[in-house]
Amino acid sequence: MNTKTLIKPLIFCALLAAVGCKDDTQKDTKRDIATMSDNTLLQEWTGPYQGVPAFDKMKVEDIKEAVEIGMDLSLKDIDAIANHTEAPTFENTIVAMERSGEELDRVFTYYGILSSNMSSPEFREVQGELAPKLSEYRSKISQNEKLFNRIKTVYEASQNTPLEADQQRVVDLVYKRFEMNGANLDAEKKKRYAEINKELSSLYNDFSNNVLHDEENYVTYLNKDQLGGLSDGYIKSAAKIATDKGQDGKYAITNTRSSMDPFLTYSTERELRKKIWTNYYSRGDNNDEYDNKNIIAEILKLRKERVGLLGYDNYADWRLQDRMAKNPENAMALMDAVWPAAIGRVKEEVADMQAVANSDNITIEPWDYRYYAEKVRKKKYDLDSDEVKQYLQLDKLTEALFYTAGRLFNYKFTPVKEGSVPVFHPDVNVWEVTDKDSGEHIGLWYLDPFARQGKRSGAWATTYRSHTTFDGKKNVLASNNSNFVKAAPGEAVLISWDDATTFFHEFGHALHFFSSNVKYPTLNGGVRDYTEFQSQLLERWLSTDEVINQFLVHYKTGEPIPEDLVEKIKKASTFNQGFATTEYLASAIMDMKLHLADPTNIDIAKFERETLAELNMPKELPMRHRTPHFGHVFSGEGYATAYYGYMWADVLTSDASEAFKEAPGGFYDKEVADKLVKYLFAPRNSMDPAEAFRKFRGRDAKIEALLRDRGFPVPNN
């Protein structure tokens, strides 16, 4: 699997789902307040396409005031709902909550960009100041007793007299969210619950900033005689980065996956491979002021204490109750079922690599794995990853995304007129999304593809505005964000097959946003071990003949990729699955075990070391995300005890892809594609995920499909 960072570790959509609303008079008053402020971030979006964010006017110095005013306005909404004089109803309580927080919603669009795409020391200082205030704000909502009593009244009434299906789903989700966040606690426990959240918010912020520091400051500069094995494109890019950093004549290897991965795969300089590997996997673990181990220990203690207030033994039991897995035992059962096959395959892969490495008189170490795996790939399949890369141009792959969206979703992507939509960086491009047949406007797609200083690593998707219809139909403003290494001027941007797969993956999230047909904002949320399914499924279209034959062309000659090379790619599709599955699963299992353990006096380095030993983790490779830089889990709570969700979703993915393989029209079969959109994309969270999958497939998903996909043995039982 690829690094698929979805998502939004510092975006506050989830917290905003719980905020309140106002009547028309109050709305006018709020708008007056926002208008009275000259703060751009608070203003209603203007311009074409139902209004767009004013990214060109965004300034760091505006963010603190905007967040504070936005929180104040939102809390006024909450008070209005909580103190409403009429009996609680779905309309005056739940719908009111769905309608509110519009100013703060807008502010957080800018906040998310400044946090993830355009971070700076100045912003990080403001972010640190705001973190505890935001935590207090969330607590004022989740612990508002009058508000919860109204929600509870509506919920209990709906248990006797059910509402319309989508309304009932909203009520159930809102009630559950408040319940899980301590709304039923007594006053003393509520106070401690809020204090813990405030402490955690600062720790999450510190964790993220420490990782970003190590990514920005551990840059390796090479001389001309240290470039052996590297491609011309990579060398030119490294030279450009070095020049930009004031090191003209040198070559910069940055401490990000997109820079590290190809270096470890192709560089003939073993000691440099070791240095680059060590820099990358030591992020947050350098025993200095930016070390994250003590922060993690404190996070684990506070999380356990907080769920203890709610009566749970551990964080995992609390977190998974509303996920598809339901409990940590079910999640661990899936991982335990796959783990032996994964490390068994690693043993085979290492044996193949060691046979090649013997001639170099070395024993395979983690910084050798990618390098010798590439040699084995060439030997076994006569497949050179760098040769494949010559046919993977970013521009052409973007066209491939649009082609796939057109065939499956009937979408058309058209570049907007230059200058008509503000962007936050010159690298960002924008397309209008319409229905191919009717021309109906659906939304805008923003693409921010390149790595740069201040941009967090990985790849993710997010929305600036989501589809709803309860207050008039809203279009979708969605974005994809990557960290591809920018090519030298005049050169094509070439990416690896893995990066191309991730590109399709993140676009799957965007299509999930665009295809939404829900009425209420809460239903645009997701179930964590399900939300990766749709995006993982879209990866499969990269290797379809239609995409390969049209969009994989040589960056110099324009010639289509040769059939024999395509055949080699397909034959090698399960190559190195031991590495890919094991590095991912080790992180997922570590996440779960850390949250099931007693955190009292926990030594993070020792725990990681001993857990890997108990798992018989192969010494030749690391976890994908070592604990000190595991941002999915410790820069927030989105993936805490939920990193297993990628594999849970991949079971669904493998099974669903077999539905296409079995269909008369293959991956472009119209009947199956229509069911895909109807049941798996459009409903978002308006339907129970397990029920949605059954409607699509006619049954529950089976793990055997996953094992077949990865080339692992399938047990007879």
Side-chain angles (χ1 to χ4, degrees):
M1 294 178 73
N2 300 286
T3 302
K4 299 157 183 169
T5 312
L6 193 185
I7 79 176
K8 316 172 181 175
L10 291 175
I11 298 213
F12 295 88
C13 296
L15 75 92
L16 293 173
V19 299
C21 135
K22 59 275 168 185
D23 60 26
D24 290 340
T25 303
Q26 194 179 4
K27 180 184 284 189
D28 291 340
T29 303
K30 287 179 66 175
R31 285 178 176 169
D32 288 344
I33 293 171
T35 303
M36 284 166 57
S37 168
D38 60 359
N39 193 312
T40 302
L41 310 189
L42 287 163
Q43 306 307 314
E44 287 194 38
W45 296 345
T46 59
Y49 309 111
Q50 299 183 24
V52 292
F55 288 132
D56 56 336
K57 298 177 182 176
M58 176 176 67
K59 293 185 292 187
V60 172
E61 51 265 36
D62 288 341
I63 194 72
K64 184 179 178 182
E65 178 194 53
V67 170
E68 289 176 340
I69 292 175
M71 288 191 294
D72 183 59
L73 294 172
S74 183
L75 290 174
K76 283 181 168 63
D77 294 346
I78 290 298
D79 287 341
I81 300 168
N83 295 300
H84 202 294
T85 55
E86 295 179 9
T89 65
F90 179 78
E91 287 294 327
N92 68 24
T93 301
I94 305 301
V95 173
M97 293 172 65
E98 294 291 281
R99 187 172 287 121
S100 80
E102 58 187 26
E103 291 86 4
L104 195 54
D105 265 330
R106 290 196 293 267
V107 173
F108 274 121
T109 292
Y110 300 109
Y111 188 100
I113 295 296
L114 290 168
S115 172
S116 298
N117 301 67
M118 302 284 289
S119 186
S120 65
E122 294 78 15
F123 174 74
R124 286 172 222 167
E125 186 176 340
V126 174
Q127 194 176 30
E129 293 177 29
L130 286 174
K133 294 182 179 181
L134 285 163
S135 177
E136 289 178 343
Y137 159 76
R138 294 193 293 272
S139 293
K140 286 177 182 176
I141 296 171
S142 63
Q143 297 192 0
N144 187 309
E145 192 169 343
K146 288 183 178 178
L147 177 69
F148 180 62
N149 285 338
R150 292 184 69 85
I151 294 168
K152 191 172 185 179
T153 298
V154 176
Y155 171 76
E156 289 176 346
S158 74
Q159 302 307 295
N160 296 321
T161 308
L163 301 163
E164 295 291 329
D166 60 344
Q167 296 177 343
Q168 187 65 52
R169 181 78 171 165
V170 173
V171 171
D172 291 347
L173 291 171
V174 170
Y175 176 79
K176 186 66 175 177
R177 181 167 57 243
F178 272 75
E179 183 186 55
M180 285 182 65
N181 283 284
N184 278 319
L185 294 176
D186 61 33
E188 185 179 344
K189 287 183 177 179
K190 277 184 179 177
K191 181 184 177 186
R192 180 56 188 150
Y193 196 98
E195 290 171 350
I196 291 172
N197 278 341
K198 187 175 179 180
E199 292 177 58
L200 284 171
S201 69
S202 294
L203 291 171
Y204 297 154
N205 191 58
D206 292 344
F207 181 97
S208 297
N209 287 341
N210 287 345
V211 174
L212 193 56
H213 170 275
D214 286 358
E215 288 175 351
E216 291 180 349
N217 289 278
Y218 283 77
V219 179
T220 304
Y221 293 98
L222 310 182
N223 298 314
K224 273 190 176 180
D225 59 355
Q226 296 176 309
L227 303 175
L230 302 176
S231 69
D232 287 344
Y234 186 88
I235 290 169
K236 289 176 181 176
S237 176
K240 171 79 165 51
I241 295 169
T243 298
D244 291 346
K245 291 181 177 292
Q247 297 285 333
D248 201 25
K250 294 189 176 182
Y251 305 84
I253 313 302
T254 58
N255 203 22
T256 62
R257 180 174 284 271
S258 59
S259 191
M260 171 276 295
D261 208 42
F263 188 88
L264 294 185
T265 303
Y266 298 109
S267 174
T268 57
E269 301 287 331
R270 191 180 189 220
E271 285 305 308
L272 282 174
R273 292 204 308 268
K274 181 178 180 180
K275 181 179 181 182
I276 300 298
W277 184 93
T278 302
N279 282 351
Y280 185 77
Y281 287 102
S282 296
R283 291 170 298 148
D285 188 24
N286 290 297
N287 297 316
D288 56 11
E289 62 181 303
Y290 303 101
D291 193 280
N292 274 332
K293 294 190 289 293
N294 289 337
I295 290 176
I296 293 166
E298 190 61 25
I299 287 172
L300 291 171
K301 290 174 194 171
L302 289 170
R303 284 177 176 172
K304 183 175 175 62
E305 181 188 352
R306 192 184 66 191
V307 300
L309 295 172
L310 298 169
Y312 292 89
D313 290 335
N314 59 68
Y315 182 88
D317 280 336
W318 170 80
R319 178 70 281 171
L320 269 63
Q321 62 184 290
D322 62 347
R323 305 290 166 89
M324 288 189 78
K326 301 303 181 189
N327 57 60
E329 291 77 18
N330 289 339
M332 283 301 301
L334 170 62
M335 295 189 285
D336 288 343
V338 179
W339 180 255
I343 61 173
R345 181 56 54 84
V346 167
K347 187 178 292 186
E348 296 171 12
E349 291 171 2
V350 170
D352 287 341
M353 290 188 292
Q354 191 61 57
V356 176
N358 285 337
S359 61
D360 295 333
N361 198 31
I362 71 157
T363 300
I364 298 293
E365 297 288 352
W367 44 89
D368 300 314
Y369 205 114
R370 291 168 174 84
Y371 180 75
Y372 284 99
E374 185 58 27
K375 288 183 175 293
V376 172
R377 189 199 309 268
K378 290 179 184 177
K379 181 180 177 183
K380 257 191 172 182
Y381 302 100
D382 191 26
L383 181 62
D384 181 345
S385 292
D386 204 44
E387 181 186 2
V388 175
K389 199 172 182 179
Q390 313 308 306
Y391 297 91
L392 295 171
Q393 301 173 68
L394 182 60
D395 288 349
K396 286 290 183 182
L397 287 166
T398 305
E399 292 177 25
L401 298 181
F402 299 160
Y403 171 80
T404 303
R407 290 290 303 272
L408 298 179
F409 294 81
N410 209 44
Y411 291 163
K412 179 182 179 182
F413 286 72
T414 307
V416 302
K417 182 180 177 182
E418 189 172 350
S420 64
V421 174
V423 294
F424 51 83
H425 191 277
D427 288 345
V428 180
N429 291 302
V430 186
W431 287 259
E432 181 185 9
V433 186
T434 55
D435 183 271
K436 282 169 62 178
D437 295 331
S438 68
E440 179 189 2
H441 171 75
I442 295 164
L444 296 179
W445 183 63
Y446 295 69
L447 175 63
D448 182 19
F450 300 119
R452 61 174 168 270
Q453 186 91 355
K455 187 177 183 181
R456 70 179 177 89
S457 62
W460 66 97
T462 189
T463 49
Y464 308 142
R465 180 167 60 225
S466 297
H467 167 88
T468 56
T469 59
F470 82 115
D471 256 348
K473 189 172 183 179
K474 298 285 177 65
N475 69 345
V476 177
L477 305 181
S479 76
N480 281 143
N481 310 270
S482 303
N483 269 281
F484 301 126
V485 177
K486 189 181 286 189
E491 298 286 326
V493 179
L494 303 177
I495 65 177
S496 69
W497 185 267
D498 281 350
D499 279 343
T501 302
T502 300
F503 197 39
F504 266 72
H505 173 99
E506 297 302 336
F507 189 62
H509 285 302
L511 291 176
H512 203 184
F513 302 146
F514 286 126
S515 60
S516 170
N517 68 355
V518 305
K519 185 174 182 179
Y520 302 102
T522 287
L523 300 180
N524 271 311
V527 178
R528 184 64 71 180
D529 48 10
Y530 183 65
T531 53
E532 294 298 332
F533 158 50
Q534 289 81 356
S535 49
Q536 287 179 185
L537 185 58
L538 202 81
E539 296 172 13
R540 305 307 174 101
W541 273 265
L542 171 62
S543 56
T544 60
D545 291 340
E546 289 85 346
V547 166
I548 287 172
N549 294 335
Q550 294 181 76
F551 303 104
L552 272 59
V553 298
H554 197 277
Y555 78 103
K556 285 183 177 177
T557 67
E559 290 295 312
I561 188 169
E563 288 186 17
D564 64 332
L565 185 53
V566 173
E567 193 57 33
K568 291 174 186 177
I569 292 171
K570 290 183 176 179
K571 282 184 178 178
S573 62
T574 59
F575 176 74
N576 224 30
Q577 273 298 324
F579 175 90
T581 306
T582 299
E583 65 152 7
Y584 157 75
L585 262 185
S587 291
I589 293 171
M590 187 69 66
D591 167 34
M592 193 66 72
K593 286 185 176 291
L594 279 165
H595 288 90
L596 292 172
D598 181 357
T600 308
N601 300 319
I602 191 169
D603 180 326
I604 295 301
K606 182 181 179 184
F607 187 93
E608 180 183 282
R609 190 169 58 248
E610 291 181 349
T611 300
L612 292 176
E614 289 170 8
L615 290 171
N616 294 317
M617 176 74 175
K619 66 178 180 62
E620 295 86 1
L621 74 164
M623 296 189 291
R624 175 174 296 170
H625 307 289
R626 286 198 54 237
T627 311
H629 53 251
F630 203 170
H632 288 73
V633 174
F634 296 112
S635 67
E637 299 193 31
Y639 280 92
T641 67
Y643 197 63
Y644 77 90
Y646 284 105
M647 177 150 285
W648 192 278
D650 222 6
V651 172
L652 305 175
T653 298
S654 297
D655 201 307
S657 69
E658 290 191 351
F660 279 98
K661 290 176 187 175
E662 297 160 3
F667 276 85
Y668 297 91
D669 187 272
K670 188 173 187 318
E671 183 179 342
V672 181
D674 287 347
K675 288 172 66 178
L676 174 84
V677 177
K678 181 177 180 180
Y679 296 121
L680 302 183
F681 277 76
R684 297 292 295 170
N685 197 19
S686 63
M687 183 185 301
D688 178 79
E691 179 188 353
F693 189 87
R694 281 191 290 270
K695 284 181 177 292
F696 168 76
R697 196 69 166 108
R699 57 168 173 74
D700 290 327
K702 298 179 180 179
I703 192 176
E704 289 81 3
L706 173 76
L707 298 174
R708 283 192 290 270
D709 251 353
R710 300 186 179 214
F712 294 165
V714 179
N716 291 330
N717 61 348

PDB file of all heavy atoms in Angstrom, residues 665-681:
ATOM      1  N   GLY A 665     -18.454  -5.939 -19.137  1.00  0.00           N
ATOM      2  CA  GLY A 665     -17.679  -4.787 -19.603  1.00  0.00           C
ATOM      3  C   GLY A 665     -16.452  -4.499 -18.783  1.00  0.00           C
ATOM      4  O   GLY A 665     -15.857  -3.424 -18.913  1.00  0.00           O
ATOM      5  N   GLY A 666     -16.059  -5.448 -17.938  1.00  0.00           N
ATOM      6  CA  GLY A 666     -14.863  -5.267 -17.126  1.00  0.00           C
ATOM      7  C   GLY A 666     -14.960  -4.036 -16.234  1.00  0.00           C
ATOM      8  O   GLY A 666     -16.020  -3.724 -15.687  1.00  0.00           O
ATOM      9  N   PHE A 667     -13.839  -3.326 -16.114  1.00  0.00           N
ATOM     10  CA  PHE A 667     -13.789  -2.190 -15.198  1.00  0.00           C
ATOM     11  C   PHE A 667     -14.583  -0.984 -15.683  1.00  0.00           C
ATOM     12  O   PHE A 667     -14.719   0.000 -14.953  1.00  0.00           O
ATOM     13  CB  PHE A 667     -12.335  -1.794 -14.924  1.00  0.00           C
ATOM     14  CG  PHE A 667     -11.694  -2.621 -13.834  1.00  0.00           C
ATOM     15  CD1 PHE A 667     -11.111  -3.848 -14.117  1.00  0.00           C
ATOM     16  CD2 PHE A 667     -11.726  -2.188 -12.523  1.00  0.00           C
ATOM     17  CE1 PHE A 667     -10.545  -4.616 -13.109  1.00  0.00           C
ATOM     18  CE2 PHE A 667     -11.166  -2.946 -11.510  1.00  0.00           C
ATOM     19  CZ  PHE A 667     -10.577  -4.171 -11.794  1.00  0.00           C
ATOM     20  N   TYR A 668     -15.096  -1.048 -16.892  1.00  0.00           N
ATOM     21  CA  TYR A 668     -15.917   0.056 -17.395  1.00  0.00           C
ATOM     22  C   TYR A 668     -17.346  -0.411 -17.673  1.00  0.00           C
ATOM     23  O   TYR A 668     -18.080   0.225 -18.413  1.00  0.00           O
ATOM     24  CB  TYR A 668     -15.280   0.655 -18.648  1.00  0.00           C
ATOM     25  CG  TYR A 668     -13.927   1.267 -18.353  1.00  0.00           C
ATOM     26  CD1 TYR A 668     -12.764   0.503 -18.461  1.00  0.00           C
ATOM     27  CD2 TYR A 668     -13.818   2.582 -17.929  1.00  0.00           C
ATOM     28  CE1 TYR A 668     -11.525   1.057 -18.163  1.00  0.00           C
ATOM     29  CE2 TYR A 668     -12.580   3.143 -17.633  1.00  0.00           C
ATOM     30  CZ  TYR A 668     -11.434   2.374 -17.750  1.00  0.00           C
ATOM     31  OH  TYR A 668     -10.204   2.919 -17.453  1.00  0.00           O
ATOM     32  N   ASP A 669     -17.738  -1.524 -17.049  1.00  0.00           N
ATOM     33  CA  ASP A 669     -19.090  -2.039 -17.216  1.00  0.00           C
ATOM     34  C   ASP A 669     -20.087  -1.029 -16.650  1.00  0.00           C
ATOM     35  O   ASP A 669     -20.010  -0.629 -15.481  1.00  0.00           O
ATOM     36  CB  ASP A 669     -19.232  -3.372 -16.474  1.00  0.00           C
ATOM     37  CG  ASP A 669     -20.561  -4.037 -16.755  1.00  0.00           C
ATOM     38  OD1 ASP A 669     -21.532  -3.735 -16.015  1.00  0.00           O
ATOM     39  OD2 ASP A 669     -20.628  -4.832 -17.698  1.00  0.00           O
ATOM     40  N   LYS A 670     -21.028  -0.607 -17.482  1.00  0.00           N
ATOM     41  CA  LYS A 670     -21.926   0.486 -17.087  1.00  0.00           C
ATOM     42  C   LYS A 670     -22.835   0.104 -15.923  1.00  0.00           C
ATOM     43  O   LYS A 670     -23.059   0.897 -15.005  1.00  0.00           O
ATOM     44  CB  LYS A 670     -22.779   0.934 -18.277  1.00  0.00           C
ATOM     45  CG  LYS A 670     -23.583   2.201 -17.971  1.00  0.00           C
ATOM     46  CD  LYS A 670     -24.303   2.744 -19.167  1.00  0.00           C
ATOM     47  CE  LYS A 670     -24.953   4.093 -18.860  1.00  0.00           C
ATOM     48  NZ  LYS A 670     -25.608   4.183 -17.566  1.00  0.00           N
ATOM     49  N   GLU A 671     -23.359  -1.107 -15.943  1.00  0.00           N
ATOM     50  CA  GLU A 671     -24.277  -1.514 -14.878  1.00  0.00           C
ATOM     51  C   GLU A 671     -23.579  -1.534 -13.525  1.00  0.00           C
ATOM     52  O   GLU A 671     -24.103  -1.036 -12.529  1.00  0.00           O
ATOM     53  CB  GLU A 671     -24.858  -2.899 -15.192  1.00  0.00           C
ATOM     54  CG  GLU A 671     -25.889  -3.364 -14.176  1.00  0.00           C
ATOM     55  CD  GLU A 671     -26.469  -4.735 -14.505  1.00  0.00           C
ATOM     56  OE1 GLU A 671     -26.341  -5.181 -15.676  1.00  0.00           O
ATOM     57  OE2 GLU A 671     -27.045  -5.361 -13.599  1.00  0.00           O
ATOM     58  N   VAL A 672     -22.371  -2.112 -13.494  1.00  0.00           N
ATOM     59  CA  VAL A 672     -21.638  -2.168 -12.226  1.00  0.00           C
ATOM     60  C   VAL A 672     -21.187  -0.764 -11.815  1.00  0.00           C
ATOM     61  O   VAL A 672     -21.221  -0.406 -10.636  1.00  0.00           O
ATOM     62  CB  VAL A 672     -20.429  -3.123 -12.336  1.00  0.00           C
ATOM     63  CG1 VAL A 672     -19.684  -3.192 -11.006  1.00  0.00           C
ATOM     64  CG2 VAL A 672     -20.881  -4.521 -12.740  1.00  0.00           C
ATOM     65  N   ALA A 673     -20.781   0.049 -12.801  1.00  0.00           N
ATOM     66  CA  ALA A 673     -20.367   1.423 -12.494  1.00  0.00           C
ATOM     67  C   ALA A 673     -21.520   2.226 -11.909  1.00  0.00           C
ATOM     68  O   ALA A 673     -21.330   3.013 -10.964  1.00  0.00           O
ATOM     69  CB  ALA A 673     -19.827   2.102 -13.751  1.00  0.00           C
ATOM     70  N   ASP A 674     -22.705   2.041 -12.445  1.00  0.00           N
ATOM     71  CA  ASP A 674     -23.877   2.755 -11.909  1.00  0.00           C
ATOM     72  C   ASP A 674     -24.146   2.355 -10.462  1.00  0.00           C
ATOM     73  O   ASP A 674     -24.481   3.197  -9.615  1.00  0.00           O
ATOM     74  CB  ASP A 674     -25.107   2.470 -12.772  1.00  0.00           C
ATOM     75  CG  ASP A 674     -25.052   3.177 -14.126  1.00  0.00           C
ATOM     76  OD1 ASP A 674     -24.202   4.070 -14.289  1.00  0.00           O
ATOM     77  OD2 ASP A 674     -25.854   2.820 -15.017  1.00  0.00           O
ATOM     78  N   LYS A 675     -24.013   1.058 -10.168  1.00  0.00           N
ATOM     79  CA  LYS A 675     -24.194   0.590  -8.790  1.00  0.00           C
ATOM     80  C   LYS A 675     -23.085   1.129  -7.882  1.00  0.00           C
ATOM     81  O   LYS A 675     -23.324   1.448  -6.717  1.00  0.00           O
ATOM     82  CB  LYS A 675     -24.196  -0.943  -8.751  1.00  0.00           C
ATOM     83  CG  LYS A 675     -25.455  -1.578  -9.341  1.00  0.00           C
ATOM     84  CD  LYS A 675     -25.319  -3.086  -9.460  1.00  0.00           C
ATOM     85  CE  LYS A 675     -25.214  -3.762  -8.115  1.00  0.00           C
ATOM     86  NZ  LYS A 675     -25.122  -5.242  -8.245  1.00  0.00           N
ATOM     87  N   LEU A 676     -21.897   1.231  -8.445  1.00  0.00           N
ATOM     88  CA  LEU A 676     -20.770   1.773  -7.692  1.00  0.00           C
ATOM     89  C   LEU A 676     -21.085   3.188  -7.211  1.00  0.00           C
ATOM     90  O   LEU A 676     -20.925   3.517  -6.028  1.00  0.00           O
ATOM     91  CB  LEU A 676     -19.526   1.798  -8.585  1.00  0.00           C
ATOM     92  CG  LEU A 676     -18.277   2.474  -8.011  1.00  0.00           C
ATOM     93  CD1 LEU A 676     -17.509   1.491  -7.150  1.00  0.00           C
ATOM     94  CD2 LEU A 676     -17.376   2.981  -9.138  1.00  0.00           C
ATOM     95  N   VAL A 677     -21.544   4.031  -8.132  1.00  0.00           N
ATOM     96  CA  VAL A 677     -21.856   5.415  -7.786  1.00  0.00           C
ATOM     97  C   VAL A 677     -23.054   5.475  -6.846  1.00  0.00           C
ATOM     98  O   VAL A 677     -23.038   6.182  -5.829  1.00  0.00           O
ATOM     99  CB  VAL A 677     -22.129   6.250  -9.057  1.00  0.00           C
ATOM    100  CG1 VAL A 677     -22.537   7.671  -8.675  1.00  0.00           C
ATOM    101  CG2 VAL A 677     -20.905   6.270  -9.968  1.00  0.00           C
ATOM    102  N   LYS A 678     -24.092   4.702  -7.157  1.00  0.00           N
ATOM    103  CA  LYS A 678     -25.342   4.766  -6.400  1.00  0.00           C
ATOM    104  C   LYS A 678     -25.183   4.330  -4.947  1.00  0.00           C
ATOM    105  O   LYS A 678     -25.722   4.974  -4.028  1.00  0.00           O
ATOM    106  CB  LYS A 678     -26.399   3.894  -7.090  1.00  0.00           C
ATOM    107  CG  LYS A 678     -27.758   3.915  -6.399  1.00  0.00           C
ATOM    108  CD  LYS A 678     -28.781   3.083  -7.172  1.00  0.00           C
ATOM    109  CE  LYS A 678     -30.143   3.100  -6.485  1.00  0.00           C
ATOM    110  NZ  LYS A 678     -31.143   2.293  -7.240  1.00  0.00           N
ATOM    111  N   TYR A 679     -24.437   3.235  -4.724  1.00  0.00           N
ATOM    112  CA  TYR A 679     -24.375   2.658  -3.382  1.00  0.00           C
ATOM    113  C   TYR A 679     -23.078   2.949  -2.623  1.00  0.00           C
ATOM    114  O   TYR A 679     -23.089   3.019  -1.390  1.00  0.00           O
ATOM    115  CB  TYR A 679     -24.578   1.140  -3.446  1.00  0.00           C
ATOM    116  CG  TYR A 679     -25.938   0.737  -3.946  1.00  0.00           C
ATOM    117  CD1 TYR A 679     -26.076  -0.060  -5.082  1.00  0.00           C
ATOM    118  CD2 TYR A 679     -27.095   1.158  -3.294  1.00  0.00           C
ATOM    119  CE1 TYR A 679     -27.336  -0.428  -5.554  1.00  0.00           C
ATOM    120  CE2 TYR A 679     -28.353   0.800  -3.750  1.00  0.00           C
ATOM    121  CZ  TYR A 679     -28.468   0.004  -4.883  1.00  0.00           C
ATOM    122  OH  TYR A 679     -29.724  -0.352  -5.346  1.00  0.00           O
ATOM    123  N   LEU A 680     -21.969   3.117  -3.339  1.00  0.00           N
ATOM    124  CA  LEU A 680     -20.679   3.216  -2.661  1.00  0.00           C
ATOM    125  C   LEU A 680     -20.105   4.626  -2.620  1.00  0.00           C
ATOM    126  O   LEU A 680     -19.239   4.911  -1.798  1.00  0.00           O
ATOM    127  CB  LEU A 680     -19.666   2.264  -3.305  1.00  0.00           C
ATOM    128  CG  LEU A 680     -20.074   0.789  -3.325  1.00  0.00           C
ATOM    129  CD1 LEU A 680     -18.964  -0.062  -3.907  1.00  0.00           C
ATOM    130  CD2 LEU A 680     -20.435   0.294  -1.923  1.00  0.00           C
ATOM    131  N   PHE A 681     -20.544   5.502  -3.518  1.00  0.00           N
ATOM    132  CA  PHE A 681     -20.011   6.863  -3.540  1.00  0.00           C
ATOM    133  C   PHE A 681     -21.045   7.907  -3.115  1.00  0.00           C
ATOM    134  O   PHE A 681     -20.808   8.692  -2.209  1.00  0.00           O
ATOM    135  CB  PHE A 681     -19.468   7.204  -4.940  1.00  0.00           C
ATOM    136  CG  PHE A 681     -18.059   6.712  -5.179  1.00  0.00           C
ATOM    137  CD1 PHE A 681     -17.804   5.376  -5.424  1.00  0.00           C
ATOM    138  CD2 PHE A 681     -16.984   7.598  -5.165  1.00  0.00           C
ATOM    139  CE1 PHE A 681     -16.507   4.919  -5.639  1.00  0.00           C
ATOM    140  CE2 PHE A 681     -15.690   7.160  -5.382  1.00  0.00           C
ATOM    141  CZ  PHE A 681     -15.444   5.819  -5.621  1.00  0.00           C
TER     142      PHE A 681
END
